[in-house]
Amino acid sequence: MHPKRRAVESRFFFELHVFDRTIGASTGIKIIRACVALLLFVLVFQSTRLWRNININGHILYTPRRETVAILSFQSKPVATSNTDTDSNTASDIPYPFYNETSKDEHPEKFARAFELWPSNVSLPCYEPDRNWKSSSSQYRKTKNGLIFLSPFKTGSTTATGVHLRLARNIALRQRAKFDVCKNRFRHSTGADLVPNRSRDQSFLWTIVRDPTTRAVSSFFYDMAKEKKDPTDAQFKKWIRYRATSNRLKDHYLRRFATSPLRYRRSGEKGGYTYTRKDNDIEIVKTIFADYDFMAITERMDESLVAMSMLMGAPLGDFLYVIDNKSGGQFSRHTSRDKCNYLLRSFVTSGMKEFFRSAFWQDIVHWDHVIYQAANRSLDMTIERLGPEFKSKLAQYRTAKEMTLLRCAPRTVFPCSEGGEFRPDNETDCMYLDTGCGNECLDEVATELDLWE
């Protein structure tokens, strides 16, 4: 029961009890009391439904009525338990992922840009970290300076966070700071909450994007594993209905990356409000690409990290990483509890592919797709500007990655064993939870391959 409903009802029935004891309760009064109680229950129930429909998490959102489910027209059936479709003959004929063409005003070229080199005469931003810098109270606190990674959900952010923490560690070491790690941010926050007024010359702000449809599939399977539910098409429909307008799904990048609060306009009648953005979406995307110092691409991680290394003037050795396999079929540490969850290997059914072609889904991912395409084009433009040296550095980096896989992955102690046994932080080789792991081994690889220049 909603806590507001419980409080109102408790107060009401307490007053009725006092009324009975004071003047007695005749049959007529009892009937009136029952009617009033029923009326009050209905009123509180309806107000609670309205309260649930309005979710304030940085923005005001609207949860659509259940009629929206009609859009999800594919048949509910159990999905396969392997990495293949249940109906592979028809599924293979359905394009995936699929996106409608963007309009001329929303073409990626309108927003893309080559990211700028950090000035060679300016040290990378390394400031004393907050006290208890790993805590939520520190990580969600606004900042104007430092190394800032804005972490979207299910984009390979565990890998990116590990790189970010290693970078913060190594820069502090090179600058001979009196602290072990530079001031940093890396949690799942929003630009408006975290960096509304950052100093451009005292901070480095970056993020990572992934194809929005594959990101949604990964998010669905992650939630099913966490809730210990079978990933059926029926569950997928329920999950979409629940997530449809949340900032975990609709316009996720646009609403996460914007460094100024987005404003909304309310329309409709009580109990069925809808909210539309007052701000021009095209201008929001333009501002996002102007505000960020770099955007990595999940599907192009190697290229992204090498380009970022060259932009920052930081050695390739800072961008090595080793992670526990999070692609499915292994255990992963639960972020808020000392336990390990088994991650399911994700896959896509023919029914899901059909749904991803619907106008309903295309509307949900429209702006995320625009941002994803523009980020890809920006990476291409950045690589072109970096010149032929990029290619040789990329080859070096991939050689180092292969070595870390063979040498460091078996040596590194992660929070979850292969059998799902949880290990406390003081028994692992990680800087935070399951990120920033195996740094000593990575240092050895970087030294052996001469990646510190």
Side-chain angles (χ1 to χ4, degrees), residues 202-248:
Q202 296 180 3
S203 62
F204 189 90
L205 173 63
W206 70 292
T207 189
I208 185 169
V209 294
R210 180 184 186 181
D211 177 90
T213 299
T214 57
R215 189 190 74 83
V217 172
S218 178
S219 186
F220 166 66
F221 275 85
Y222 178 82
D223 286 351
M224 292 301 99
K226 187 169 63 174
E227 297 168 15
K228 293 181 170 50
K229 295 179 180 178
D230 292 330
T232 63
D233 280 358
Q235 287 289 357
F236 180 69
K237 287 197 290 185
K238 292 179 182 178
W239 183 82
I240 287 290
R241 181 173 62 206
Y242 176 70
R243 293 287 190 191
T245 58
S246 76
N247 62 11
R248 286 282 298 273

Side-chain angles (χ1 to χ4, degrees), residues 14 31 76 81 91 119 151 187 197-198 207 213 215-216 224 234-235 243 247 258 269 311 345 386 398 419 424 426 436:
F14 172 78
I31 293 174
S76 298
T81 55
S151 175
R187 298 286 290 276
N197 299 297
R198 78 179 177 104
T207 189
T213 299
R215 189 190 74 83
M224 292 301 99
Q235 287 289 357
R243 293 287 190 191
N247 62 11
E269 299 178 355
L311 289 175
R345 189 176 297 278
L386 291 172
R398 285 176 170 163
N426 60 1

Side-chain angles (χ1 to χ4, degrees), residues 149-152 155-166 186 206-208 296 301 305 308 321 323 435-436:
F149 170 59
L150 201 143
S151 175
T155 55
S157 56
T158 298
T159 300
T161 298
V163 170
H164 186 72
L165 292 178
R166 178 170 169 78
F186 60 84
W206 70 292
T207 189
I208 185 169
M301 187 68 80
L305 296 181
M308 186 172 164
Y321 62 89
I323 61 169
T435 62

Side-chain angles (χ1 to χ4, degrees), residues 17 48 87 123 173 190 306 329 336 347 379 434 442 448:
H17 176 68
T48 303
D87 186 6
S123 298
L173 284 171
T190 67
V306 172
S336 59
F347 52 89
L379 180 57
D434 55 355
L442 297 176
E448 186 173 329

Side-chain angles (χ1 to χ4, degrees), residues 325-381:
N325 182 16
K326 296 293 183 294
S327 61
Q330 277 194 307
F331 287 92
S332 173
R333 174 171 177 165
H334 192 288
T335 54
S336 59
R337 300 188 186 97
D338 293 342
K339 58 181 288 190
C340 296
N341 286 338
Y342 187 78
L343 298 184
L344 300 170
R345 189 176 297 278
S346 61
F347 52 89
V348 182
T349 68
S350 56
M352 292 165 70
K353 287 184 177 181
E354 285 286 3
F355 166 68
F356 289 140
R357 293 173 60 85
S358 69
F360 176 66
W361 178 251
Q362 294 298 310
D363 176 68
I364 286 177
V365 297
H366 174 74
W367 285 109
D368 279 2
H369 179 57
V370 170
I371 291 173
Y372 175 71
Q373 291 291 90
N376 267 281
R377 180 61 188 131
S378 294
L379 180 57
D380 291 338
M381 294 168 68

Side-chain angles (χ1 to χ4, degrees), residues 150-441:
L150 201 143
S151 175
F153 287 99
K154 306 310 296 178
T155 55
S157 56
T158 298
T159 300
T161 298
V163 170
H164 186 72
L165 292 178
R166 178 170 169 78
L167 188 63
R169 163 190 179 264
N170 289 2
I171 293 174
L173 284 171
R174 275 197 301 277
Q175 295 186 9
R176 298 180 181 179
K178 295 180 180 179
F179 35 84
D180 295 333
V181 62
C182 302
K183 181 179 180 181
N184 62 80
R185 295 290 188 271
F186 60 84
R187 298 286 290 276
H188 297 297
S189 186
T190 67
D193 291 334
L194 201 60
V195 286
N197 299 297
R198 78 179 177 104
S199 172
R200 296 296 296 261
D201 59 347
Q202 296 180 3
S203 62
F204 189 90
L205 173 63
W206 70 292
T207 189
I208 185 169
V209 294
R210 180 184 186 181
D211 177 90
T213 299
T214 57
R215 189 190 74 83
V217 172
S218 178
S219 186
F220 166 66
F221 275 85
Y222 178 82
D223 286 351
M224 292 301 99
K226 187 169 63 174
E227 297 168 15
K228 293 181 170 50
K229 295 179 180 178
D230 292 330
T232 63
D233 280 358
Q235 287 289 357
F236 180 69
K237 287 197 290 185
K238 292 179 182 178
W239 183 82
I240 287 290
R241 181 173 62 206
Y242 176 70
R243 293 287 190 191
T245 58
S246 76
N247 62 11
R248 286 282 298 273
L249 201 58
K250 180 167 174 61
D251 298 339
H252 181 66
Y253 298 147
L254 188 146
R255 287 152 66 177
R256 286 267 160 185
F257 296 165
T259 54
S260 298
L262 303 182
R263 302 170 301 162
Y264 287 80
R265 181 186 297 107
R266 187 175 77 177
S267 60
E269 299 178 355
K270 186 176 181 180
Y273 294 126
T274 58
Y275 292 85
T276 53
R277 276 188 292 274
K278 292 182 180 180
D279 309 272
N280 182 286
D281 290 335
I282 291 176
E283 294 304 315
I284 295 172
V285 177
K286 284 181 179 178
T287 303
I288 287 172
F289 277 88
D291 283 346
Y292 281 72
D293 294 307
F294 188 66
M295 283 191 185
I297 311 293
T298 305
E299 294 86 350
R300 302 173 65 184
M301 187 68 80
D302 292 356
E303 294 172 276
S304 297
L305 296 181
V306 172
M308 186 172 164
S309 165
M310 296 178 71
L311 289 175
M312 297 182 76
L316 284 177
D318 289 355
F319 293 82
L320 297 179
Y321 62 89
V322 57
I323 61 169
D324 209 356
N325 182 16
K326 296 293 183 294
S327 61
Q330 277 194 307
F331 287 92
S332 173
R333 174 171 177 165
H334 192 288
T335 54
S336 59
R337 300 188 186 97
D338 293 342
K339 58 181 288 190
C340 296
N341 286 338
Y342 187 78
L343 298 184
L344 300 170
R345 189 176 297 278
S346 61
F347 52 89
V348 182
T349 68
S350 56
M352 292 165 70
K353 287 184 177 181
E354 285 286 3
F355 166 68
F356 289 140
R357 293 173 60 85
S358 69
F360 176 66
W361 178 251
Q362 294 298 310
D363 176 68
I364 286 177
V365 297
H366 174 74
W367 285 109
D368 279 2
H369 179 57
V370 170
I371 291 173
Y372 175 71
Q373 291 291 90
N376 267 281
R377 180 61 188 131
S378 294
L379 180 57
D380 291 338
M381 294 168 68
T382 301
I383 291 172
E384 290 171 11
R385 176 176 289 184
L386 291 172
E389 186 184 3
F390 174 85
K391 189 174 181 180
S392 61
K393 283 188 173 291
L394 180 61
Q396 276 184 292
Y397 184 76
R398 285 176 170 163
T399 299
K401 256 188 68 176
E402 291 177 5
M403 186 177 290
T404 62
L405 182 63
L406 294 173
R407 182 184 298 183
C408 299
R411 284 174 47 184
T412 303
V413 180
F414 294 101
C416 294
S417 69
E418 290 185 6
E421 179 184 354
F422 173 78
R423 302 184 183 106
D425 292 341
N426 60 1
E427 295 181 11
T428 73
D429 296 329
C430 303
M431 294 179 67
Y432 175 78
L433 299 181
D434 55 355
T435 62
C437 305
N439 280 308
E440 289 185 8
C441 182

